[in-house]
Amino acid sequence: MILYTPLSENDVFPTNETDYTNRQCVSYNGKSCYVEQTENGEYRILQLLSTDPKDFLDMSYTPGNIIK
Amino acid sequence: MNKDSEKKDDQQPNEEQSNSSSLVQKIQALGQTNVPQAPDSNIHVLSIVGQVEGHIQLPPQNKTTKYEHLLPQLVAIEQNPKIEGLVILLNTVGGDVEAGLALSEMISSISKPTVSIVLGGGHSIGVPIAVSADYSFIVPTATMTIHPVRLTGLVIGVPQTFEYLDKMQDRVINFVVNHSNIKEEKFKDLMFAKGNLTRDIGTNVVGTDAVEYGLIDAVGGVKEAMEKVNELINNQRGNQQEVIQ
């Protein structure tokens, strides 16, 4: 399918609302993390939001880690 | 006692399970089992990746940097006396003009030494963010696309929108000219150059060229950036001591 329109892709194909709701920013042990809720209700770390390089060496904030 | 030991026995298999599963997760996420430990750092790192997200939340498949996350971190860096320097890592395709300018202004107004490194790409609104630091580096393979500010989607009232975009573009140009060694004429030449980009006006500036034009201070990577930030920290310490005496 080829579209020829001045509209942006998002106006033509709006994103599903639920895509936004399963991702959120939470504070985990005092560090803010961007997490995704998995199907069984657990949270998986997507991104650690910190400027301290030391935090990135902490195993518990590794992206992909499951937190409760 | 018995109960305790029983409890321990019960817990052990669980712990082992969680240990092995976390090990698997680590391998999946990082490709390795352990990462090296380091002492407390006096230099903090701010990474600006993907799109600079503005007032509209982008769909989840986009990798974004959100200003509501970064602005408080920048204030925390300014306030924390243990943090003496800041390194900004840039690999961005650009994004919202006002969010990008907000970040740039915050970085340029921090009293602590700041050094930026452009890695991969620092396109569009990545340019003012890169030059907002006290000293900027670009790796030889990184590129920066300089092109006019524009809008995607619906436009209501063409002349008004044009004027609004023109003003917005002037803010970007002024910021870059004020915070780097590039001349306004040169930056505008690059921005409106024809024939460089196949389907667009503008210029794709590669590492060494960005330094030649005066946009970025030097070509270099992590080593150079860390040396520079440490040098700036030492200079600032020296200045403070002089004031005290």
Side-chain angles (χ1 to χ4, degrees):
Chain A
M1 181 172 56
I2 296 167
L3 297 175
Y4 186 31
T5 167
L7 297 175
S8 67
E9 195 199 339
N10 248 303
D11 292 330
V12 184
F13 303 108
T15 323
N16 202 345
E17 276 294 309
T18 54
D19 289 354
Y20 293 103
T21 49
N22 65 353
R23 291 185 176 196
Q24 52 184 305
C25 188
V26 296
S27 176
Y28 175 56
N29 294 343
K31 314 270 181 226
S32 37
C33 299
Y34 200 50
V35 296
E36 179 182 49
Q37 192 164 22
T38 56
E39 280 155 10
N40 46 19
E42 291 170 324
Y43 291 97
R44 185 191 294 125
I45 295 181
L46 294 172
Q47 194 186 354
L48 169 63
L49 302 163
S50 170
T51 53
D52 192 346
K54 201 169 144 254
D55 290 343
F56 289 89
L57 301 178
D58 189 332
M59 306 289 223
S60 49
Y61 301 112
T62 309
N65 236 11
I66 304 284
I67 55 171
K68 292 281 147 12
Chain B
M1 278 296 277
N2 258 345
K3 265 188 186 174
D4 275 355
S5 66
E6 266 173 37
K7 261 188 190 171
K8 270 183 190 169
D9 279 350
D10 280 342
Q11 277 172 350
Q12 261 178 348
N14 272 338
E15 257 173 42
E16 263 174 34
Q17 240 177 6
S18 71
N19 272 345
S20 67
S21 74
S22 74
L23 207 66
V24 171
Q25 275 167 18
K26 258 164 230 154
I27 293 169
Q28 278 175 345
L30 290 177
Q32 59 185 22
T33 53
N34 51 7
V35 280
Q37 298 298 313
D40 272 343
S41 174
N42 63 337
I43 297 165
H44 271 213
V45 180
L46 192 73
S47 49
I48 295 169
V49 293
Q51 289 225 37
V52 177
E53 194 176 273
H55 306 299
I56 294 163
Q57 199 177 1
L58 289 166
Q61 72 266 26
N62 291 284
K63 202 167 251 189
T64 63
T65 298
K66 298 176 202 301
Y67 63 90
E68 69 264 37
H69 292 160
L70 296 196
L71 297 184
Q73 285 180 335
L74 287 165
V75 175
I77 289 166
E78 176 67 29
Q79 277 196 319
N80 189 341
K82 281 184 183 159
I83 304 170
E84 293 179 288
L86 175 66
V87 173
I88 299 134
L89 304 177
L90 276 163
N91 193 358
T92 174
V93 290
D96 190 90
V97 175
E98 300 209 321
L101 282 179
L103 287 173
S104 309
E105 291 285 7
M106 284 293 282
I107 293 165
S108 70
S109 59
I110 275 185
S111 66
K112 293 169 184 180
T114 51
V115 170
S116 65
I117 319 173
V118 181
L119 307 150
H123 306 290
S124 316
I125 203 67
V127 177
I129 300 176
V131 302
S132 66
D134 295 334
Y135 204 86
S136 52
F137 283 98
I138 187 166
V139 293
T141 52
T143 65
M144 302 177 93
T145 310
I146 300 163
H147 65 89
V149 172
R150 65 173 76 83
L151 191 92
T152 51
L154 203 60
V155 175
I156 304 165
V158 173
Q160 290 88 335
T161 308
F162 178 77
E163 264 172 38
Y164 179 64
L165 285 183
D166 207 40
K167 283 266 162 62
M168 207 174 235
Q169 193 162 287
D170 284 344
R171 284 152 74 191
V172 174
I173 295 171
N174 286 340
F175 187 91
V176 173
V177 169
N178 289 336
H179 290 84
S180 71
N181 298 320
I182 199 165
K183 294 273 172 297
E184 189 174 344
E185 292 73 38
K186 183 70 202 168
F187 191 68
K188 280 187 172 170
D189 281 351
L190 294 171
M191 191 180 247
F192 302 113
K194 282 181 213 157
N196 293 329
L197 303 177
T198 44
R199 297 182 304 166
D200 203 350
I201 58 168
T203 315
N204 198 4
V205 181
V206 186
T208 45
D209 293 337
V211 177
E212 211 171 283
Y213 297 144
L215 191 60
I216 297 290
D217 293 315
V219 173
V222 182
K223 184 183 69 155
E224 288 84 0
M226 292 315 271
E227 275 169 8
K228 190 72 197 177
V229 76
N230 280 319
E231 182 195 317
L232 293 173
I233 289 170
N234 286 335
N235 286 351
Q236 201 168 35
R237 275 187 197 145
N239 285 344
Q240 277 170 351
Q241 272 177 346
E242 272 172 33
V243 170
I244 291 164
Q245 280 166 356

